[in-house]
Structure formats: C-alpha cells, structure tokens
C-alpha cells in the first residue's frame, strides 16, 4: 500500500513538473531576446514597432538668430539640437539611426519658391546616438538664390530616428520609429536678379538731384542755338540689365523741338543696381522753327528687371527763350478763328517760396484784328506736389467779352506746396472761347515759375566764457546755429563788430545741411579797456548766391592788462595794515590794565612805595 501511494505521488509530481515547463516557455524566449541592434519580427514579449510624429529632438533654446542675407550670399544655418526630455525621460532610452535633411520641393513650380541654390544631389546628414541630456550641432551651408524674393522663408528639416529602450537584464528592445519636422528661418533682404519682381510704376525715372546732391536746372536756349542736355536717371526698382534708353522723336516741334542730326539717339547700359543714378548727356540744336516756351522731351527705356522684360516712360523739359515769331497777316480772313493767348504774367510777391501763397496775374490778348471773343474760360493745370489753389480759391477764370486786339488780366490765388523740390514748376494755361458766330476755339500755353525754399536759420544766445576779461586776453565765444529750412545754406561766416574788439582769427564754417545744427566756436580780443558794446555778425548764402546777414548784440567789460595783478597786491597790503592796527590797540589796552591794577593795590595798602 505504501509502495502504491509513493508511486502515485511520484507520477503526480512528474505531471506537475511537465505542466510547469510548458506554462513558462514564453518567459524563456523573452530572456533569450537578441541584444543586437537588428530589429526582430514581433514575438511574444517583444515591444511592437510603431511610427510616430512626436518630436523626440527639438531645437535647443540657445538664442540662435534667423539667418539674414541677400541673393548671392553664402549663409550657414545652425541647428542646435537637444533631446526632448519630456519624450525621452531617462538614460534608459537611446536615439539611434538619426538622420536629418532639408525638405526641398520636388515640383518645378514649388522649386522656384525655395530660397537657396540646389547644388548637391543629397543633403542627408547622420547624427551620432543621443540619449537623455544629449545635444548635437548640425550646420548647413547654402547660397541664397537669385530667384529669391524679399521676405522671410521657413526652412523645414525632416528628422528620422529609432528609439531603443534598455531593459533590466542588460539588453535592449526597439521602442518605436519616429519621424518629425523642425523649422529654421532665413530672412532675404532684397529681391534677386531673377526673382521677376518688378516696379509697377516703372523702375526708371528722372532723378531730382545729381549724384553729389546738387540740383540740375532745366536747359534753356534760343531757336537755332546748340545746347547741352543733361538728364540724371535713377533706378527705383530691382536689378536692371540690358537697358536701352532713347528719346521719343516726334514730327511736332512742341514734342521734339530739335533738329534730327543722327539716326539713333539710343544709349545702352549693361546693368544698374537698385538706387543707382546715371547721367545721360546729349547735344542738340534747337530748331529755328520752334516757338517760345517750355517743351517736354519724352524718353522710353526697355530693360530686364529681375529676369522680366519691362519698360519705363519719363520726361524732361527745356525752355526756349526766344522762339520764332509767327507772321502777322495784315488782314484776317473773314471766317478765321481768333486766338486767345497769354502775352505776359507777373507774380506777387515776385519771389515764390515753398509753403507760401502767391498771386499769379495773367495778361491775355485777343490776337484777331477784326473778330471778338466771348464766353472765354481759362483753366490752369498745376503740377502735383508743387502747386495748388489757395484755400477757398479757384484755378479757373472767365472773360465775358474781349474785342479784337484787346487785352484782359485775370488773377489766380495759388500756393506753392512745402513738398516742392524742383526749382521750377510748369503751369499749363488751357483756354476755350467762342466767336460771335459761335465758332469754338481752344489754345493751351505753358508758363514756368521759379520756386525757392525759404531760408530759415535760428541763432542761439551767444555764450561768452570767463567772469572778467583783461585787455589783449583771448575771450572764448560759442554761438549755436540751426538750419530749420529745407534747403542747404552755404559759406557760413562769423565776424565781430565794435570799437575796441577784434577776432583772433577769421571763422569760416562752410555749408550747413537742412535740419542740421552746429556750435560755432571762436575767440575775440578786447583791444581797449572799458565797457564795450559790440555785435556778432553772421553771414551765409542760399543756393542762388543771395547773401544773408544777421546781428547778435552783446556787452563786454575789458579791464587793464595789470588789473588782476594790482588787485592781488592791494588785498595783501590791506591785510598787513589791519594786523598792525590790531597790535597797537591790544598793546594800549594791556598798558591801561596794568596801571589800573597798580593804583588799586596802593589804595588798599597792600603795596607800599
């Protein structure tokens, strides 16, 4: 019985042992996992490979600035990378197989928006393994493309990595594969030469000043004379190439007042960068048949602007002082149309300043010898940003009736705008009228007005240094001067006037730009002692050479040359005299005190003679 029981118990133990081995076979496979970096197929106990867009790596907050450059510049994009500790929380995680590459567009239309030249077949870079607290610096060198337009571009980078997790038994397991994007930025400061960005108003125009800042007056001459025509051209657009500029020749003498002497007046310029200024110079002969007045000269320019063909139209003017006089017929045909024209004009004040109102008086004449004019309207065409009608006034006038060869005057109240920068402004006078038989007539005529910028110079209070001044001693003076006008002042000079006063040396301050301030420092000398009334004389000129002079009065006391030395000696004598007087008074008082004491002792009997 005991043997049977022992046998049964042995069989039962064997069955339990076999069951235990089969039940724990997966755990044995888990312990035997391969510890190499080659991922296995999914097996019981192994983590599953997943794809995620979580950012396991981020750009470290190190103050790295966006890249700045212009087309053609070579720039470097720096990516300071750091492990995202929220996603990789401990040293038990390792990022392996890390690659990074810029996401360059593949479509042709999108490649034009990529701000860099594509020089390499591949831009993939590999990064060493990273774990908790790891950092890595990645650098990419690019050349900004000439196709790039001005603006800020985001530059995306694609990062792929595999996250491995260490287990507790000195092995590793695949956690997941991640893929995500990081962004850098580049600031392109100019439009590239192939960006196809153009100036809608036309890139070329007439510059207001020369390269050195000087104004260019409109050329003038008489009919039949030869003149030099100088015109500065400024590029207000992008980079220009293959530039062709030529004047527009017309059969009308009012549009082309010159004799055509050559087949082609065109000029070719290979390249102009933004804000470049070039000056074209021509020599023309004014036609002897041209009439007096201002004549526009039109120019046409064609060019490639940032890789796109464009054109600009611009104009300059000349003044024909003495033109051909129209012949006067002794008898006018009965059915001819009379002409109303401006024969002269005046302004009040005579000199017109920018920002100031003025009166323009036109003298109009009916040139017909036997026909009258009625219902005549006169309208002015004013240059924008230069002239306007004064407040509450009109730029039109009316003449009810004007007999043959009679004249009439009409006054217009205008204002020169503060923005007027051209030295001359052209006003077109448009006239419409009727004859007694209601035959309509029209005529247009141009007049030229000179506009000057008002000179505004502010003088500060002169500072005269030193409390006392001796004869022949240099005295320092400072006068603050500010140019508050919109025009430059020239040849600034300072002098002194007054009997017994002279400059140590002449002061010449040169030119002073608009809105500029200067402190004039100089020295004067008093040549005779006493109280002197004097004036500082400040002189300067405007752009036309007109001289201005202003005075600053002042008062000054000049001492003798030995005044300061005699004053010191006198003070020393007074001090010694006072000490002697004090000694005499003290000695006298002491003697009186001794005599009084002796008398008192004798009287009391304490002392016998």
């Amino acid at each position: 019985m005991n043997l049977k029981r022992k046998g049964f118990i042995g069989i039962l133990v064997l069955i339990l042992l076999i069951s235990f081995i089969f039940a724990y076979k997966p755990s044995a496979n888990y312990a035997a996992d391969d510890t190499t970096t080659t991922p296995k197929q999914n097996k019981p106990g192994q983590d599953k490979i997943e794809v995620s867009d979580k950012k396991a790596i981020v750009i470290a907050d190190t103050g790295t600035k966006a890249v700045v450059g212009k087309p053609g510049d070579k720039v470097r994009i720096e990516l300071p990378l750091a492990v995202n500790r929220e996603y990789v929380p401990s040293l038990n995680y390792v990022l392996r197989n890390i690659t990074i590459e810029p996401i360059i567009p593949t479509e042709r239309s999108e490649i034009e928006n990529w701000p860099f030249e594509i020089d390499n077949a591949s831009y993939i870079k590999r990064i060493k393994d990273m774990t908790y607290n790891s950092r890595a610096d990645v650098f990419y060198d690019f050349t900004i493309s000439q196709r790039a337009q001005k603006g800020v571009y985001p530059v995306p980078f694609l990062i792929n990595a595999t996250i491995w997790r260490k287990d507790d038994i000195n092995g590793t397991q695949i956690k997941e594969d991640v893929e995500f994007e990081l962004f850098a930025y580049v600031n392109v400061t100019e439009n590239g030469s192939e960006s196809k960005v153009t100036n809608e108003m036309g890139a070329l125009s007439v510059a207001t000043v020369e390269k050195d800042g000087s104004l260019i007056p409109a050329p003038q001459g008489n009919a039949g004379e030869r003149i030099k025509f100088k015109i500065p051209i400024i590029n207000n657009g992008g980079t220009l190439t293959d530039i062709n500029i030529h004047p527009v020749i017309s059969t009308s003498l009012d549009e082309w007042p010159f004799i055509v002497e050559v087949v082609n007046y065109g000029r070719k310029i290979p390249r102009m960068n933004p804000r470049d200024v070039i000056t074209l110079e021509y020599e023309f002969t004014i036609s002897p048949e041209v009439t007096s007045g201002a004549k526009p000269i039109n120019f046409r320019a064609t060019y490639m602007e940032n890789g796109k063909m464009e054109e600009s139209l611009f104009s300059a003017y000349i003044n024909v002082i003495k033109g051909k006089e129209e012949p006067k017929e002794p008898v006018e045909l009965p059915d001819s149309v009379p002409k109303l024209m401006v024969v002269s004009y005046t302004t009040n004040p005579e000199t017109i300043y920018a920002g100031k109102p003025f009166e323009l008086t036109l003298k109009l004449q009916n040139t017909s010898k036997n026909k009258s004019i009625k219902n005549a309207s006169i309208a002015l065409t004013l240059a924008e940003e230069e002239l306007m009608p004064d407040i509450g006034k009109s730029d039109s006038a009316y003449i009810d009736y004007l007999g043959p060869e009679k004249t009439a005057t009409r006054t217009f109240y205008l204002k020169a705008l503060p923005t007027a920068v051209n030295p001359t402004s052209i006003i077109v006078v448009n006239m419409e009228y009727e004859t007694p038989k209601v035959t309509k007539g029209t005529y247009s005529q141009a007049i030229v007005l000179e506009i000057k910028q008002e000179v505004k110079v502010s003088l500060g209070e002169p500072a005269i240094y030193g409390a006392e001044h001796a004869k022949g001693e240099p005295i320092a003076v400072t006068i603050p001067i500010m140019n508050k006008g919109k025009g430059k002042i020239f040849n600034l000079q300072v002098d002194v006037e007054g009997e017994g006063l002279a400059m140590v040396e002449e002061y010449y301050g040169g030119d002073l730009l608009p809105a500029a301030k200067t402190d004039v420092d100089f020295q004067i000398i008093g040549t005779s002692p006493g109280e002197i009334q004097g004036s500082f004389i400040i002189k300067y000129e405007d752009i036309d050479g007109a001289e201005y002079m202003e005075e600053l009065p002042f008062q000054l006391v000049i001492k003798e040359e030995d005044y300061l030395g005699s004053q010191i000696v006198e003070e020393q004598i007074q001090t010694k005299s006072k000490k002697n007087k004090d000694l005499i008074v003290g000695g006298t008082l002491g003697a009186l005190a001794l005599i009084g004491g002796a008398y008192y002792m004798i009287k009391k009997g304490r002392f016998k003679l």
Side-chain angles (χ1 to χ4, degrees), residues 203-208 232-237 240 272 275-278:
L204 296 179
S205 63
V206 179
T208 57
I233 309 298
I234 186 171
N235 177 15
N236 297 312
L240 308 184
M272 286 184 70
R275 307 306 299 171
D276 276 358
V277 176
I278 62 168

Side-chain angles (χ1 to χ4, degrees), residues 34 36-42 46 49 97 162 164 174 177:
D34 189 4
T36 65
T37 59
T38 303
K40 292 185 176 182
Q41 300 296 325
N42 290 341
Q46 185 180 42
I49 298 176
N97 304 327
T162 302
W164 294 76
I174 297 175
D177 290 340

Side-chain angles (χ1 to χ4, degrees), residues 63-135:
T64 302
K65 297 181 179 180
V67 175
V68 179
K70 61 181 182 295
D73 285 354
K74 292 184 178 181
V75 297
R76 169 169 288 189
I77 294 180
E78 179 182 356
L79 298 173
L81 304 179
V83 171
N84 185 355
R85 291 184 292 183
E86 293 182 359
Y87 190 66
V88 180
S90 71
L91 294 174
N92 290 331
Y93 293 80
V94 179
L95 288 171
R96 294 180 175 174
N97 304 327
I98 307 171
T99 61
I100 183 171
E101 61 179 318
I103 303 177
I104 301 175
T106 56
E107 297 293 333
R108 183 176 180 83
S109 59
E110 296 178 354
I111 290 177
E112 294 182 356
N113 297 325
W114 179 251
F116 303 119
E117 298 287 351
I118 301 176
D119 300 323
N120 302 328
S122 174
Y123 287 88
I124 297 176
K125 293 188 177 183
R126 298 186 179 277
I127 305 174
K128 294 181 179 180
D129 295 351
M130 301 178 69
T131 184
Y132 186 79
N133 281 337
S134 292
R135 289 177 178 265

